[in-house]
Amino acid sequence: MKKYFSKYIPLLLSLALVLGLGSSTTLYGANRSVFKWINISQIEVTATRLNVRTGPGTQFPIINQVRQGQIIDVIGALDGWYVVHLPNNSVGVLSSTYTRVYRNHNTTTEKTPDPTPTPSDKETPPSDSSLEGLTDDEKEMFNLINEARKAQGLSPYAIDMDVVRVARIKAKDMAENKYFSHESPTYGSPFTMLKQFGISYRAAGENIAGNRSVQAAHEALMNSSGHRANILNRQYDRVGIGIVPDARYGKVFVQMFIKK
């Protein structure tokens, strides 16, 4: 299972942890409580020091402490408390009152087994002519993605204009309806959305971000382990990028990755 989700602190988002959890799981303390899925992947601690406990209340034993500014992975919620996964691989509960949502995130879906590759399966590097339908911002982001892949010895992504169209629609939907989430109130999840627009895939993922420039958005994504994992994924072979202006962040960025 992979762990992953500021305005200027750049805004980003992820669903991978959510999909891995399923509907619910159980944390045991003095009482047994089923914690709920929430659309939050990471939080930032706002208190100078914040106790991590075995359950959702001050009556539960303290097992750890986190500090102001620390970014913590969230795996669920319990009655106004977050269930968190700490850097030392322990799991505990802390009060949501002394935190804020940290908007840095990515998404993946379940993957079907890949067939044995053949020479015809391999993508050739995209030519400049394949980028003619992209805006200047989209071209810049596409090139930055493939430069990052090249630096790691990975094959470049091919641009898929059908996926670009869906990514643009998703970005426009977020800007016009003023939300920041993988789950669109109009189209549903990115996986459902791809299928709605007639795009078939064996695996898919999505990164979203809010930032003032392509370069700043790319750097923020690469500095987030979940987003970086999508950008450098060895399984995906195509990408679509949509970038639109947004009054809140400057621009909204949507990267959709697929494996045909």
Side-chain angles (χ1 to χ4, degrees):
M1 183 188 302
K2 290 188 178 179
K3 310 189 297 289
Y4 310 113
F5 237 93
S6 215
K7 235 172 171 174
Y8 320 142
I9 301 171
L11 216 74
L12 315 166
L13 197 61
S14 167
L15 286 181
L17 183 61
V18 169
L19 293 171
L21 279 173
S23 60
S24 66
T25 188
T26 303
L27 182 77
Y28 297 99
N31 298 309
R32 292 189 175 189
S33 302
V34 178
F35 67 81
K36 297 179 181 179
W37 172 87
I38 54 173
N39 195 25
I40 296 173
S41 180
Q42 291 181 312
I43 53 172
E44 182 178 359
V45 179
T46 57
T48 303
R49 290 181 182 272
L50 183 59
N51 293 327
V52 181
R53 300 177 180 271
T54 60
T58 55
Q59 74 273 21
F60 288 84
I62 297 170
I63 59 171
N64 211 325
Q65 279 192 334
V66 290
R67 297 182 179 183
Q68 187 173 28
Q70 191 168 347
I71 309 303
I72 306 295
D73 291 326
V74 176
I75 58 176
L78 271 172
D79 302 326
W81 294 64
Y82 288 133
V83 183
V84 296
H85 178 255
L86 301 176
N88 65 358
N89 283 328
S90 63
V91 174
V93 180
L94 54 76
S95 173
S96 62
T97 304
Y98 305 102
T99 68
R100 61 188 172 198
V101 177
Y102 183 68
R103 304 282 186 186
N104 252 2
H105 314 106
N106 113 307
T107 177
T108 58
T109 189
E110 293 183 4
K111 306 172 180 66
T112 56
D114 281 345
T116 302
T118 63
S120 61
D121 291 330
K122 295 180 180 178
E123 293 288 349
T124 55
S127 62
D128 291 340
S129 62
S130 69
L131 307 185
E132 289 178 357
L134 300 183
T135 66
D136 288 344
D137 278 350
E138 290 164 354
K139 288 178 184 177
E140 182 181 356
M141 178 157 274
F142 177 73
N143 289 329
L144 287 170
I145 287 172
N146 275 342
E147 286 172 10
R149 290 180 65 82
K150 182 179 178 181
Q152 297 298 317
L154 301 173
S155 299
Y157 283 133
I159 198 72
D160 188 313
M161 292 307 298
D162 289 332
V163 182
V164 168
R165 179 168 67 98
V166 179
R168 287 172 176 169
I169 293 170
K170 175 64 176 289
K172 184 179 179 183
D173 186 50
M174 284 199 294
E176 290 182 348
N177 292 306
K178 294 180 172 56
Y179 72 93
F180 189 83
S181 172
H182 290 293
E183 192 74 19
S184 164
T186 310
Y187 302 103
S189 75
F191 315 119
T192 300
M193 189 175 179
L194 285 166
K195 291 175 181 177
Q196 285 176 350
F197 284 89
I199 297 171
S200 59
Y201 57 85
R202 286 183 286 170
E206 181 185 72
N207 288 345
I208 62 177
N211 215 310
R212 289 171 288 182
S213 72
V214 174
Q215 183 67 43
H218 175 72
E219 289 176 0
L221 289 164
M222 288 298 291
N223 287 330
S224 169
S225 60
H227 300 88
R228 180 183 175 90
N230 266 353
I231 291 170
L232 302 181
N233 191 291
R234 293 177 179 273
Q235 183 168 357
Y236 303 141
D237 52 18
R238 300 164 187 261
V239 66
I241 299 167
I243 304 173
V244 301
D246 187 283
R248 299 167 297 173
Y249 321 120
K251 298 176 183 180
V252 166
F253 303 81
V254 176
Q255 300 171 342
M256 288 184 167
F257 309 90
I258 65 169
K259 168 70 174 177
K260 283 286 191 179

